[in-house]
Amino acid sequence: YFVGDTLAGPRLYREFQPVVAPVPGLAGLKLLESGPNDPDYRSLWPAGSFESVSDPEDGLVTVQLGDGAPAEPSALALQQVVYTVSAGLQEPVTVDLNNGVDLLETISAAPQLDVLSRVNLSDPTEGQVVTDTLSVSGRANSFEANIRWEVRNDGEVVLADVFTALGYMEPRLFPFSGEIDVSSLEPGAYTLMVETDDPSGGAEGGIPVFTDTRTFVIE
């Protein structure tokens, strides 16, 4: 889980990456050190931040910090850790953050809609090469489950429509997916943008529009 900027302030975005040594929990934290593939994201944990992750016991794991860890990690940085470790272990856990001598912090995951972007692409990956069809998937929470999307070329909208998520009435993110026919487009680099729906156009205040983007290449 990396950090990205939104109209509601910094939020977490999930990004899938392959790992060389798939050690549950620790592998994801090492990705936080090496950083995201998407240039719109960033990590709050520099190289050398993490030493080890214990096996879960009754829903609790201990994360051993390294010498590179920030002295006073922000609340969102702590959420990066608990969400990433939980994803790696494929179960929700509470994290004891330890510096080798002292217990620094016990972290539980905050509610999804408080810390995660309300729309987050899983596919395509950044820079993915496609031919006739662009397969899209992700998670979102949007008004009436509408996920607006646009394909842009040099800032110009060349395709646009709406995906439908599998829900929106609960305080969590719901999957969405679809395929975009890009066979009519010329070869080159394009940007896919997805965003949550705001039928008021911002006139009624409340929840701002959340967005996520990916670049892809048509051969």
Side-chain angles (χ1 to χ4, degrees):
Y1 282 79
F2 294 105
V3 178
D5 293 321
T6 78
L7 294 177
R11 293 292 184 101
L12 298 184
Y13 288 80
R14 183 176 68 174
E15 182 181 81
F16 292 99
Q17 293 186 29
V19 294
V20 176
V23 179
L26 183 59
L29 294 182
K30 289 300 182 181
L31 294 179
L32 294 190
E33 295 182 1
S34 59
N37 291 327
D38 191 320
D40 294 329
Y41 304 160
R42 62 187 182 276
S43 180
L44 303 178
W45 296 93
S49 288
F50 304 104
E51 290 289 340
S52 64
V53 178
S54 70
D55 292 330
E57 184 174 345
D58 296 326
L60 179 69
V61 301
T62 297
V63 171
Q64 176 74 42
L65 293 179
D67 293 338
E72 296 183 1
S74 67
L76 193 59
L78 298 178
Q79 289 300 311
Q80 261 196 289
V81 170
V82 69
Y83 267 94
T84 299
V85 171
S86 295
L89 296 173
Q90 297 186 352
E91 64 175 285
V93 295
T94 298
V95 172
D96 277 347
L97 212 58
N98 194 290
N99 66 358
V101 178
D102 300 314
L103 173 63
L104 302 179
E105 192 100 30
T106 297
I107 318 162
S108 296
Q112 290 187 16
L113 299 190
D114 289 349
V115 295
L116 304 185
S117 169
R118 293 195 179 212
V119 65
N120 190 178
L121 284 165
S122 300
D123 293 299
T125 57
E126 184 70 14
Q128 183 171 324
V129 177
V130 301
T131 51
D132 295 334
T133 302
L134 179 67
S135 297
V136 180
S137 66
R139 302 186 304 167
N141 187 298
S142 178
F143 177 74
E144 294 189 345
N146 295 322
I147 313 301
R148 299 178 61 249
W149 63 262
E150 296 177 350
V151 172
R152 299 171 178 171
N153 179 240
D154 290 332
E156 178 186 356
V157 177
V158 293
L159 295 171
D161 207 336
V162 177
F163 295 126
T164 302
L166 296 183
Y168 74 101
M169 292 293 288
E170 299 174 31
R172 62 183 180 89
L173 303 184
F174 293 85
F176 68 88
S177 62
E179 293 190 338
I180 300 174
D181 182 358
V182 295
S183 60
S184 63
L185 301 179
E186 295 294 325
Y190 292 82
T191 299
L192 170 68
M193 186 278 296
V194 293
E195 66 178 9
T196 54
D197 192 18
D198 179 9
S200 73
E204 298 178 7
I207 300 170
V209 170
F210 288 79
T211 65
D212 198 9
T213 62
R214 287 286 190 278
T215 59
F216 67 97
V217 177
I218 298 177
E219 286 190 332

